[in-house]
Amino acid sequence: MSMGSSSSMFHLWPMLILIINGLFMLLGLYALYLLIKLLIRAITAVELYIDEKRNRRL
């Protein structure tokens, strides 16, 4: 193995780490988006439940 190939490998690591960090950030944002959608549905379900119990509708 020559010195040129090992030095190019050291230049590749920061770019690879940057890409992996970017993917994890996108995954985190997508998880946050899904959590917000779930919370909106949960709030709606609780409001319907409370309304149903208050008005005694079946």
Side-chain angles (χ1 to χ4, degrees):
M1 186 180 274
S2 67
M3 286 296 267
S5 65
S6 70
S7 69
S8 68
M9 188 65 177
F10 286 120
H11 293 296
L12 184 67
W13 282 114
M15 192 58 140
L16 188 64
I17 290 172
L18 184 67
I19 290 171
I20 291 173
N21 279 341
L23 288 175
F24 276 120
M25 285 175 57
L26 286 175
L27 188 65
L29 287 174
Y30 183 62
L32 181 64
Y33 169 73
L34 290 178
L35 180 66
I36 289 171
K37 279 182 63 173
L38 179 69
L39 289 174
I40 289 171
R41 284 187 178 199
I43 289 170
T44 305
V46 168
E47 286 175 350
L48 288 173
Y49 176 77
I50 290 172
D51 186 47
E52 184 178 303
K53 290 297 176 184
R54 206 175 271 162
N55 294 335
R56 299 280 190 245
R57 284 184 291 162
L58 293 175

